[in-house]
Amino acid sequence: MASNIPSEQWAQVVEKTGGPIVYKKIPVQKPGPDEVLINIKYSGVCHTDLHAMMGDWPLDTKLPLVGGHEGAGVVVALGSLVEDIQIGDYAGVKWINGTCLQCSFCQQADEPLCAKALMSGYTVDGTFQQYCIAKAAHVARIPKDCDLEAIAPILCAGITVYKGLKESGARPGQTVAIVGAGGGLGSLACQYAKAMGIEVIAIDSGEEKKAMTAKLGARHFVDFSTTKDLVGDVKALTEDGLGPHAAILVAVNEKPFQQATEYLRPRGVVVAIGLPAGAYLRAPVFESVIRMISIKGSYVGNRRDTAEAIEFFRRGLINAPYKRCGLSELQKVYDLMLEGKLAGRYVVDTSK
Ligand code: NAD
Ligand code: ZN
């Protein structure tokens, strides 16, 4: 390891499920043979980090846990087997920290489905610390002309919504509803959809999110908290009144997961991405069959999706606004998230 790597660092640590997070000094780890150590400069804050702290999902986290999985920084140490990434390179730690690279899913580039996948900020320590370890094979390669702060949200939110839009099968000129459009994933979904030539109906609540999604390229906005007929409103916003071709569900409540099949046009595709605690997908069998509705889940993206999502950013097609604060202020971001008051993404600076 290089000599200027400290032995201790600042981190936000979940010591028990349910929180609170504790800002404290912890040791810097050494990378294993197939791993790299990255000096995280900035990390995005995903709602997943809040689910992890609260213990929302039927999957245990490690404890104590350093959360975070949208970390952008500089490679500072390499394991003995690592050859294709250098000290000084820009790199990103994403949700999929490592996979076996051998199972049938890994062989087919479905790495998120690998049974041995390590998850940053969930089953291994993540990016709410100044020095983070990841498997070299899965580290996101970030070109040197990219801004490390602005690219951080791409490393989960960007990859995930780009993949979800591809999974929806929506083509240029077609319309998608983005449900939860004013949040972190949603704001990036508006931009990726626009860059892909897809028309957006944004669904979320409040004037701030309405104005933001319009700036990001959404043509229409439906406020779920004030509308009396969400299904009718969404359908009426499509030219032929038949509804959008797909719904990208990035909301954190169950209700929109039940509504989506009702406003989609025949052959419409529901892409479930958001992971509200304890929620179920329910749809009427009769209407879903005779209207040939598809319902699918979409889970982050593979290494190719990562490279493509980063390339959209590098080309200047993605510049969603984000707010910034110090790593020490992470709890403030969680509070805003819990209240649904956070428009877009927060990025934390690990030096503060
Ligand atoms: P966020 O809190 O930034 O955004 C959620 C948005 O949903 C908010 O703007 C909120 O107002 C909106 N919302 C709440 N109820 C709604 C409703 N009834 N209709 C429409 N919008 C509604 O969260 P985020 O960081 O964007 O994450 C969103 C979800 O996606 C989380 O559950 C997260 O865990 C999940 N996620 C999934 C994947 C995946 O691979 N599938 C990856 C990353 C995140
Ligand atoms: Zn995430």
Side-chain angles (χ1 to χ4, degrees):
M1 288 219 288
S3 56
N4 54 355
I5 299 169
S7 57
E8 277 202 321
Q9 57 166 343
W10 285 103
Q12 285 280 14
V13 184
V14 179
E15 296 188 328
K16 60 177 193 327
T17 301
I21 36 172
V22 182
Y23 187 58
K24 64 191 252 192
K25 282 207 153 181
I26 63 168
V28 173
Q29 305 294 326
K30 291 186 173 50
D34 59 344
E35 294 173 339
V36 295
L37 182 67
I38 299 175
N39 176 203
I40 301 292
K41 302 288 186 193
Y42 300 97
S43 178
V45 184
C46 181
H47 208 111
T48 293
D49 302 314
L50 182 56
H51 292 304
M53 181 176 83
M54 300 310 287
D56 277 354
W57 296 341
L59 181 66
D60 288 340
T61 67
K62 84 178 267 291
L63 277 177
L65 171 73
V66 177
H69 57 276
E70 282 185 348
V74 181
V75 176
V76 291
L78 306 175
S80 56
L81 297 174
V82 178
E83 289 179 344
D84 65 332
I85 189 162
Q86 310 301 325
I87 288 179
D89 284 356
Y90 281 2
V93 177
K94 54 190 179 52
W95 175 251
I96 301 295
N97 184 288
T99 65
C100 80
L101 303 174
Q102 297 299 333
C103 69
S104 61
F105 295 109
C106 283
Q107 283 185 17
Q108 293 178 102
D110 254 339
E111 303 125 12
L113 304 182
C114 173
K116 294 183 179 157
L118 305 172
M119 290 160 272
S120 308
Y122 206 93
T123 60
V124 293
D125 282 345
T127 58
F128 296 148
Q129 57 182 338
Q130 293 171 308
Y131 292 88
C132 181
I133 284 174
K135 298 286 182 194
H138 271 282
V139 154
R141 273 61 176 168
I142 300 179
K144 269 278 161 76
D145 55 341
C146 291
D147 181 75
L148 285 177
E149 185 180 36
I151 203 170
I154 304 299
L155 297 167
C156 172
I159 295 166
T160 301
V161 300
Y162 173 64
K163 175 69 157 191
L165 284 161
K166 289 206 289 189
E167 288 285 321
S168 79
R171 294 196 298 271
Q174 297 187 333
T175 303
V176 299
I178 295 177
V179 189
L185 267 64
S187 57
L188 282 162
C190 292
Q191 288 225 303
Y192 276 97
K194 185 184 174 204
M196 294 161 89
I198 297 166
E199 190 124 305
V200 171
I201 299 173
I203 307 179
D204 213 308
S205 71
E207 285 306 311
E208 188 186 2
K209 292 178 183 179
K210 180 179 181 182
M212 184 190 74
T213 55
K215 254 198 204 147
L216 294 175
R219 180 144 172 216
H220 304 288
F221 186 84
V222 177
D223 191 322
F224 73 83
S225 66
T226 55
T227 177
K228 299 212 161 46
D229 176 16
L230 184 124
V231 170
D233 286 355
V234 173
K235 283 180 134 180
L237 289 170
T238 52
E239 252 151 52
D240 54 10
L242 293 174
H245 298 80
I248 306 291
L249 291 165
V250 288
V252 288
N253 279 312
E254 184 177 33
K255 189 166 179 201
F257 286 76
Q258 323 288 13
Q259 284 171 324
T261 60
E262 294 180 48
Y263 55 68
L264 289 183
R265 68 177 49 225
R267 267 208 191 278
V269 181
V270 177
V271 183
I273 294 177
L275 293 159
Y280 282 83
L281 273 161
R282 269 198 203 95
V285 171
F286 183 79
E287 285 83 358
S288 303
V289 170
I290 65 161
R291 298 173 66 241
M292 293 186 74
I293 298 294
S294 303
I295 302 176
K296 51 158 73 176
S298 186
Y299 180 41
V300 287
N302 64 22
R303 290 177 293 167
R304 188 67 223 155
D305 301 315
T306 300
E308 290 174 10
I310 287 175
E311 183 58 12
F312 271 68
F313 175 88
R314 195 194 63 75
R315 285 163 60 201
L317 297 166
I318 309 298
N319 42 30
Y322 55 87
K323 299 181 178 85
R324 50 173 72 87
C325 67
L327 178 61
S328 58
E329 299 168 283
L330 184 60
Q331 184 61 48
K332 175 182 99 178
V333 184
Y334 287 161
D335 292 343
L336 287 169
M337 245 179 202
L338 269 174
E339 292 168 46
K341 281 193 184 150
L342 207 169
R345 216 23 151 209
Y346 249 98
V347 172
V348 295
D349 178 341
T350 64
S351 71
K352 293 181 185 153

